[in-house]
Amino acid sequence: MSNPTEPTSQNAPQTQQNYPTPLSPPLPAISKDIELTRAMSASSKSSLYKLSRSDVLYEDEWLVAVNKPQGVYCESVLASVPCLLAGDSAESKSGRLSEGTKLNLLELHLANRLDRDTSGVMVITKSHKVASKLVKAFTDHKVSKTYIALCIGPAPKWKRITIISGHGRSKFGAWRVYAASDVGRVLPGGSVVRDMVTSFEVLSVNGEGSFKEPSELQEDEENNIVVEKKAVLDADAKKNEILVRVFPRSGRTHQIRLHCQYLGISIRGDVKYEGVYEWNGKRYDGHELHAESLSLEHPITGCPVMVQAPLPLWATQAPQSSSK
């Protein structure tokens, strides 16, 4: 008989593992109901969504790039591509598709994904072969992307900056920013902290500035922030409208939104990451983030391809808006 004073496997004390500590806050309580309302609205909108020829930004026999609207799930965009492509064929006008056409349409794949409320460039491949090549290009960081975001917060003291941190989430948790030195460490649930790198360029503050075409930032123009502790932010600082161009160097979920939050300039409408959803008397139904451009080497021809989506109204108006 075991000694009752000795711990058994059932009552032995558990060793507390030293997990990394997230450096960004948990989701605001207010975000739950707002996000649920937005999700329901997006589901309704997505069920009725159909691509038109005016949404197509680029197409050849291997790829098609489209301009995804805000508030539509990317799966719904993909689901509407067959009708768009078949609509160009003579056989579709008769209401019948050949077996060969049906088979080809089944090979459509999303090359990149955008959040529900993010608009802009989405690339769809037309065959499994092209899909695998493009997935590898994204994985190897051979695809360059730029985004435009309208943020609210203190006017940045920097013109250009690069932020380097960790990225991860615990089991059943939210995506959070972690210290750069935590990359590779295990989180509760078994996932691992991964590297996350984003460059930013300020285009305008309260309408003062000018919009320019996207171009790659030069290394010597950048200031680097290596994240190792929680950001120190002034809650009482004046709030400004800040238009930024963003260059994600890695491909982490909610990367831009998380780094904007860490910098104290959360994206307008992004309630999940502390963005205001009411501003100057107006309520926003989604965050203002736009996938502006995507540049890659064509997976079949090897030629350079650059796809650019028209800017939404909030982005074109920002540099001309009056100071608040």
Side-chain angles (χ1 to χ4, degrees), residues 1 21 40 48 84 127 134 146 153 160 175 200 212-213 215 218 224 227-228 235 247 254 265 268 273 277 285 289:
M1 181 180 292
T21 302
M40 293 173 64
L48 302 172
L84 176 75
S127 74
L134 210 47
T146 67
R160 302 176 184 88
W175 294 107
F200 292 85
K212 56 184 180 181
E213 290 301 304
S215 61
Q218 298 301 312
N224 289 354
V227 173
E228 291 298 341
F247 305 79
H254 298 177
I265 54 169
R268 188 166 67 183
Y273 297 112
Y277 76 102
D285 296 327
L289 178 63

Side-chain angles (χ1 to χ4, degrees), residues 90-110:
E91 60 183 12
S92 70
K93 295 174 183 177
S94 66
R96 297 180 179 180
L97 297 180
S98 69
E99 290 303 315
T101 299
K102 290 179 182 178
L103 180 62
N104 289 337
L105 295 180
L106 290 175
E107 292 195 10
L108 296 171
H109 294 272
L110 288 172

